[in-house]
Amino acid sequence: MRPCRSIPIPTLPTSATVGLMRYLSTRGQAPPISFLESVLGGLAPDGGLYVPETWPHLFPNETERHNAILGHYAYTAARVLLAFSGGDLEGLEQVDDADALCLQAYLNGAWPESVAPLRQIGVSDWLLELFRGPSLSFKDVAMQLLGPLYDLVLRQQKERLSILCATSGDTGGAAVEAFKNRETIDLFVLTPRGRVSSAQRRFMTTSGASNIHVLEVNGDFDICQALVKQLFSDTTFATRARLSGVNSINWGRIAAQSVYFARVAHTLGHLGPVHFVVPTGNFGDAYSGWVARQLGAPVGRILLATNANDVLVRALETGEYRRGPSRATLSPAMDIQLASNFERILFEALDRNADQLCNLQRDLSRDGACLLPSDALARLRTWFSATSVSDEETLLQLRIQAQEGNLVCPHTAVGLQARTRLKEPGFVVTLATAHPAKFPETVKQATGEHPPLPPRSRDLFERPERFEQVPAKAETIRAIVRERSRAWR
Ligand SMILES: *Cc1c(COP(=O)(O)O)cnc(C)c1O
């Protein structure tokens, strides 16, 4: 089943013994780089995405596996971080090891409850609640780790970075929470006007931190994402501004998200593989589930739950990956037509043939579509299913859940509705990706109930906001970064 030619690491990777893990570009034209370079950089210079050269095995023995299931979330995260970083964290001062770093990320005031509680909702059904972090979406889980990791590396190197990210709503809030008031970072967030909920916007705009710059773009998320890509591909500018990205293509985020898949699969997987239902937009989270499987976790089928923006559903059905028009839905964090992480799984489905991948990417940028080779399609279908859920079905599912005393967010409702179509026997875990209070308008519309914010966010709507509106022009954004970035040289 393993598609790639992986060279397994024979013994448990401890920070003392492993060599550096190298990361390759999916397009095969860029030199390999280290873990920290892959986390702090963005796209590869050839336009590709970085993937690890080999897949380490996470828990080679039962003791390790048990500790990871029963120990604190930080412990599991540290095992994953170690496996993917090789010896790359060793040179860092002020941090004993990956454990200390993960404790900084996950055992602090940002998580008043546990990081990823698993709640049983049916005989063989669970909900994995990933919205317990400071900005109330699953994106906090990865971002809270990137915050201290970036800070540590930059302090050591006496460097500053400008982080530029596009957000469909939740990445921005999570990034603001992770990077606010950090001396080493200026954060520039591009967010589509009118496409994010007011609670989502307020998580970005109310930090009061001078290193946070929220730019509301006159355009949809795909336009924001294209602008970010454009700025990164201007290498002179990107170098001078020390640009870095924390979008869902960032390898650090993927690695950090694979932690909860691995932990849950190992927790429930004693009877057989565990299936996951993943509300999907940019395909980062779902791909992280596949990564957990590569790490040896008993991950079964991954069901991609999408809204009307169904590019992945069509691709798996027809074999043609074709972008459609971006549609505004009740689950706005998934209003995405080109899923950037799809390139990573395509690379694997093509058995890591970078030349073939480049040809498909060329077709995609020339014609807005590419045809997946039949063996690649067959592989994708063994790993993933996909289904699209309409707004009416989302509202219906919100109501059904509310009747059972379970207020969920619209994205989670898309997942739970998709879940009803999954026929595979076995345990199923649906990812709850945001807190319902982040989408109060839609939840109220469906259920008549107003989901309350958790105590520490109660004053969200009273805090003063700061953001500015900008046209969808690379030149404008370039000028703003140039003027405000403390890293500019
Ligand atoms: C970002 C997001 C998603 C989609 O995750 P991807 O990794 O982009 O597929 C789903 N639900 C919520 C609430 C999100 O914020």
Side-chain angles (χ1 to χ4, degrees):
M1 275 277 285
R2 297 280 159 79
C4 56
R5 283 156 272 149
S6 63
I7 306 160
I9 293 175
T11 50
L12 174 69
T14 65
S15 51
T17 56
V18 277
L20 289 186
M21 167 86 73
R22 300 197 314 164
Y23 288 78
L24 316 173
S25 165
T26 48
R27 306 218 181 156
Q29 305 290 316
I33 60 172
S34 75
F35 172 75
L36 286 177
E37 286 168 332
S38 78
V39 172
L40 268 68
L43 285 178
D46 60 1
L49 304 184
Y50 287 109
V51 293
E53 188 171 34
T54 60
W55 297 107
H57 195 81
L58 201 52
F59 306 125
N61 64 56
E62 267 307 293
T63 315
E64 271 291 320
R65 205 177 69 86
H66 259 97
N67 290 345
I69 295 171
L70 300 173
H72 191 272
Y73 189 89
Y75 182 88
T76 322
R79 305 278 80 65
V80 172
L81 193 59
L82 261 182
F84 278 127
S85 60
D88 213 13
L89 296 177
E90 263 176 73
L92 299 178
E93 292 153 17
Q94 302 161 333
V95 63
D96 303 337
D97 49 26
D99 286 294
L101 190 71
C102 290
L103 285 172
Q104 262 185 48
Y106 297 119
L107 202 62
N108 64 31
W111 308 94
E113 298 144 282
S114 73
V115 177
L118 190 60
R119 190 150 67 83
Q120 190 158 17
I121 54 168
V123 176
S124 52
D125 266 275
W126 279 262
L127 202 58
L128 180 61
E129 297 186 344
L130 298 170
F131 53 75
R132 302 291 181 184
S135 76
L136 309 186
S137 91
F138 86 93
K139 296 194 170 77
D140 285 324
V141 180
M143 217 64 92
Q144 283 293 311
L145 181 59
L146 289 195
L149 182 59
Y150 269 59
D151 207 39
L152 196 70
V153 174
L154 293 172
R155 275 172 196 284
Q156 170 126 347
Q157 298 174 346
K158 302 199 166 38
E159 285 277 1
R160 282 189 164 137
L161 280 186
S162 315
I163 295 181
L164 178 62
C165 81
T167 181
S168 55
D170 289 327
T171 299
V176 167
E177 283 295 333
F179 295 110
K180 66 183 181 190
N181 300 320
R182 290 196 191 271
E183 270 296 303
T184 47
I185 302 277
D186 282 296
L187 173 66
F188 299 86
V189 179
L190 306 191
T191 175
R193 181 174 309 167
R195 292 284 186 99
V196 303
S197 79
S198 49
Q200 278 182 312
R201 192 189 65 237
R202 284 179 161 272
F203 274 110
M204 296 185 247
T205 58
T206 61
S207 72
S210 61
N211 68 328
I212 305 292
H213 314 275
V214 179
L215 310 175
E216 201 185 61
V217 175
N218 198 5
D220 61 20
F221 172 70
D222 290 299
I223 288 175
C224 293
Q225 192 151 263
L227 284 167
V228 167
K229 270 202 166 177
Q230 204 179 331
L231 263 61
F232 269 100
S233 64
D234 177 348
T235 45
T236 317
F237 173 79
T239 310
R240 287 194 70 185
R242 298 277 291 135
L243 274 199
S244 174
V246 289
N247 272 3
S248 66
I249 59 150
N250 181 293
W251 179 258
R253 280 183 66 185
I254 300 291
Q257 286 164 189
S258 73
V259 174
Y260 46 77
F261 283 99
R263 190 171 158 96
V264 167
H266 279 293
T267 304
L268 298 178
H270 44 89
L271 295 179
V274 180
H275 311 300
F276 286 89
V277 182
V278 186
T280 295
N282 241 330
F283 195 67
D285 210 10
Y287 171 69
S288 306
W290 183 89
V291 167
R293 193 227 300 257
Q294 295 303 98
L295 297 177
V299 172
R301 185 159 283 278
I302 298 172
L303 174 60
L304 313 175
T306 76
N307 57 29
N309 298 283
D310 59 351
V311 56
L312 293 167
V313 181
R314 288 182 284 111
L316 282 181
E317 240 163 51
T318 66
E320 189 190 44
Y321 184 66
R322 174 182 287 279
R323 76 175 297 160
S326 159
R327 299 198 180 96
T329 73
L330 295 176
S331 43
M334 309 188 326
D335 290 353
I336 292 164
Q337 270 298 343
L338 277 189
S340 29
N341 278 290
F342 190 69
E343 176 162 342
R344 284 195 165 110
I345 202 69
L346 194 53
F347 183 60
E348 305 295 352
L350 294 168
D351 208 12
R352 297 203 157 196
N353 184 331
D355 292 339
Q356 239 183 329
L357 184 105
C358 288
N359 290 338
L360 293 179
Q361 286 298 339
R362 189 202 51 214
D363 295 351
L364 187 62
S365 52
R366 195 189 49 207
D367 312 328
C370 65
L371 212 51
L372 310 178
S374 58
D375 50 343
L377 181 61
R379 282 206 185 94
L380 288 173
R381 284 176 176 162
T382 65
W383 300 326
F384 301 98
S385 320
T387 188
S388 161
V389 170
S390 70
D391 275 352
E392 293 88 78
E393 291 170 310
T394 306
L395 291 171
L396 178 72
Q397 188 58 231
L398 280 167
R399 262 192 298 279
I400 292 173
Q401 292 300 323
Q403 277 157 13
E404 298 180 8
N406 188 19
L407 280 191
V408 297
C409 90
H411 310 78
T412 308
V414 168
L416 289 166
Q417 180 67 22
R419 162 48 188 131
T420 64
R421 299 175 195 159
L422 185 68
K423 299 298 176 228
E424 240 98 349
F427 289 170
V428 181
V429 175
T430 301
L431 269 50
T433 49
H435 192 288
K438 231 173 159 178
F439 303 91
E441 297 89 354
T442 305
V443 174
K444 178 98 198 261
Q445 180 194 346
T447 68
E449 288 183 59
H450 188 85
L453 282 159
R456 64 175 151 164
S457 313
R458 281 276 150 80
D459 65 342
L460 184 66
F461 285 87
E462 278 105 67
R463 297 178 203 159
E465 283 192 273
R466 194 166 54 81
F467 65 102
E468 56 214 280
Q469 301 190 324
V470 297
K473 287 211 183 86
E475 198 34 62
T476 310
I477 294 154
R478 219 181 258 127
I480 290 175
V481 173
R482 201 182 300 130
E483 184 189 319
R484 312 223 183 125
S485 165
R486 290 171 297 171
W488 185 263
R489 54 179 75 141

